[in-house]
Amino acid sequence: MKEPERLIGFVNYDNADTAFEFDADNFVLNLYPTKELWKKYVRPSYVFSKHPLDSTKHEWIPENRIHGKTSSGQQVVFSVQGDPGSYHGFLSFQVNWYFCCYDGMDENHISGFSIDGITVDSFYSPWVALEQKHEYDKELNATKMVVSSTKSPAATCGNYMITDTVKATMEVDAYTASGLGDYEHPIFANSRFITEFSEPVTIDTVIKAFEHTLRFFIYVTYRANVDIRKADLFVMNEKGGHDYWGVVVFPQGEPAEKSKDARHHLIIYNDLKEKMALLFDAIKNEHTSIQHICSNYDATHSYPISRVIMVLAAFERVYGHIHGKDTERSEEYIEIKAKVVELIDHLQKENTGKRKKAAKTLKDFVFNRDSSFSSNTAYALKDCAEIMKPFVKKRYKGEYDRIVDEISERIGIVRNGVAHCRLDFELEAVHLSDILIMEELLYAMQLKHIGLTTHECHKAIGRLFRENIRFKDPAEDIAHQ
């Protein structure tokens, strides 16, 4: 089902069928009530009654859903945030997303979805759906070139548990279409990323899976403005195929990417294959972070202090998930620490009031006490040494272990400087190289953790961060033996 060009019809609001029109540019739902209801809405008392602001409750703004039917007879659901605005009695809502479908689907019975666009095409090249043939004469001049459509099997991306009982299985596929009457593009090829659920799910589960997919593509492109804002929804038919009977659409976030170079600098399907499901699992469980990732391709060249802070925060999260606490501590230290925590826990249970609270505070302090940021940085760089050496050697001179110690010391100073807002702290040129190494280290840690080889990590990180390095392929050594 295509995204509707114009969305108008009737929704049920205030127990009445009310005409609506959706403003796609501003992502706003406008209601046009009957004259009787308009007289109710135009009163200032109605608008004020819808905004009982009570900041002392500290509550999230509630999400509401408005159901209706379009002028074409399709079901539509709008997710709106908060209470309506009013323009002389005509109400409007800011929309989070909307769901539209034919009668063969409803919001509680969706089998899966697919997404497409330039980002997906860059991740999985649609060239696999095309076949080229050339003919040459005796002088090797091209005399004939044929581009034809060919069908190749979908490439599997693995699966992960989207809920305790529902599995999401992912694959990428490429397809072709004829550009009838278009002599410049007689044939089109596009790719799509497909997620299929082990059983029919509600729109809420679809939204959750879509958010995981969006975060995944932000992660592999290192920019937030990926062109993913809608999902085509399907139900399974009797033959096991997909009937695309619905769509869910989100507002445009960051402005569209303008740089054509962006499509060449990302982690691609061949880097990850089925192991990408482990990244989805990390994203679902918030074991990885995208808060430090740039808004667009050009922003990757700029290092404001806010980006530095978020890169270092992302390192702490990923490091904590992969390595945990006290990674370089001795067995004796870890044993004594555990006994101290156990003793304080015993004191906490024995006491009440302020003494109990004091014991808990002390226990949390001891338990959360970890190695220094510098020590953890050094440990991670040495743990990922085979992956990181080409990137480190490109920017620093000397032995790897010595460079690691120097980077770790400087990074520790940077972390403490920005964390404690030291007035005498300033970023130097070498710090920018250190931060770039930390960004690449984040990916080295995560990709190694999900099982990529050193060479696979080199290719993925090198392409993502535009590193002009020729990485040695172990297969070449085998071929020369």
Side-chain angles (χ1 to χ4, degrees), residues 321-338:
H321 165 59
I322 294 175
H323 297 294
K325 293 182 174 66
D326 301 321
T327 44
E328 286 196 292
R329 301 292 192 181
S330 65
E331 291 183 6
E332 291 80 6
Y333 176 93
I334 295 173
E335 182 183 350
I336 292 297
K337 179 180 177 179

Side-chain angles (χ1 to χ4, degrees), residues 280-319:
F280 272 80
D281 201 55
I283 290 169
K284 182 192 78 169
N285 294 310
E286 298 185 347
H287 290 157
T288 190
S289 175
I290 62 170
Q291 302 303 318
H292 63 291
I293 289 178
C294 300
S295 57
N296 57 62
Y297 182 76
D298 288 339
T300 59
H301 305 291
S302 176
Y303 283 89
I305 198 69
S306 57
R307 179 177 173 187
V308 173
I309 292 171
M310 296 311 296
V311 168
L312 300 182
F315 173 79
E316 289 191 284
R317 170 173 290 191
V318 175
Y319 185 93

Side-chain angles (χ1 to χ4, degrees), residues 19 38-39 53 106 136 153 179 209 226 259 279 281 293 304 326 354 474:
W38 173 82
K39 290 178 181 179
L53 298 177
D106 65 62
Y136 303 90
V226 292
S259 174
L279 279 179
D281 201 55
I293 289 178
D326 301 321
K354 290 184 178 181

Side-chain angles (χ1 to χ4, degrees), residues 1 4 19 54 92 105 115 128 161 167 218 229 254 281 289 300 361 369 405 456:
M1 178 181 175
D54 186 353
S92 62
M105 175 184 284
I115 59 172
V128 299
M161 298 301 294
K167 181 188 297 182
I218 290 173
R229 55 176 294 273
E254 296 284 344
D281 201 55
S289 175
T300 59
T361 301
R369 188 73 176 169
D405 292 339
E456 289 169 340

Side-chain angles (χ1 to χ4, degrees), residues 26-216:
N26 297 302
F27 234 68
V28 169
L29 174 65
N30 296 310
L31 302 188
Y32 304 106
T34 61
K35 190 171 183 179
E36 289 73 18
L37 284 173
W38 173 82
K39 290 178 181 179
K40 172 184 175 182
Y41 299 153
V42 77
R43 296 172 186 166
S45 58
Y46 176 81
V47 177
F48 290 132
S49 70
K50 286 290 181 179
H51 295 80
L53 298 177
D54 186 353
S55 58
T56 63
K57 291 185 176 181
H58 308 291
E59 296 176 337
W60 295 110
I61 298 174
E63 181 231 11
N64 298 304
R65 295 186 184 174
I66 300 176
H67 297 69
K69 276 212 167 186
T70 71
S71 57
S72 303
Q74 298 146 354
Q75 298 179 53
V76 65
V77 180
F78 294 97
S79 167
V80 299
Q81 201 76 31
D83 298 314
S86 175
Y87 182 77
H88 299 293
F90 292 92
L91 306 183
S92 62
F93 294 86
Q94 194 65 47
V95 176
N96 300 318
W97 51 263
Y98 73 82
F99 162 69
C100 189
C101 70
Y102 297 122
D103 286 339
M105 175 184 284
D106 65 62
E107 60 182 307
N108 296 312
H109 192 94
I110 302 168
S111 300
F113 66 90
S114 72
I115 59 172
D116 55 25
I118 295 173
T119 302
V120 178
D121 289 345
S122 302
F123 178 74
Y124 184 75
S125 175
W127 274 109
V128 299
L130 299 172
E131 187 176 276
Q132 294 188 65
K133 292 182 180 180
H134 300 83
E135 293 182 7
Y136 303 90
D137 59 19
K138 293 180 180 180
E139 284 75 33
L140 298 181
N141 297 313
T143 59
K144 187 177 182 180
M145 181 177 69
V146 177
V147 179
S148 58
S149 173
T150 183
K151 182 61 180 175
S152 59
T156 180
C157 304
N159 59 71
Y160 74 109
M161 298 301 294
I162 183 69
T163 70
D164 292 340
T165 58
V166 178
K167 181 188 297 182
T169 300
M170 302 164 294
E171 63 182 21
V172 279
D173 193 11
Y175 63 96
T176 58
S178 175
L180 295 175
D182 187 347
Y183 67 89
E184 291 185 346
H185 305 96
I187 188 170
F188 290 89
N190 298 99
S191 299
R192 58 189 170 191
F193 189 91
I194 304 168
T195 299
E196 184 177 313
F197 302 110
S198 56
E199 60 185 62
V201 300
T202 66
I203 188 64
D204 292 296
T205 302
V206 172
I207 299 298
K208 185 187 298 185
F210 179 89
E211 289 175 348
H212 296 162
T213 306
L214 175 62
R215 292 174 190 172
F216 169 79

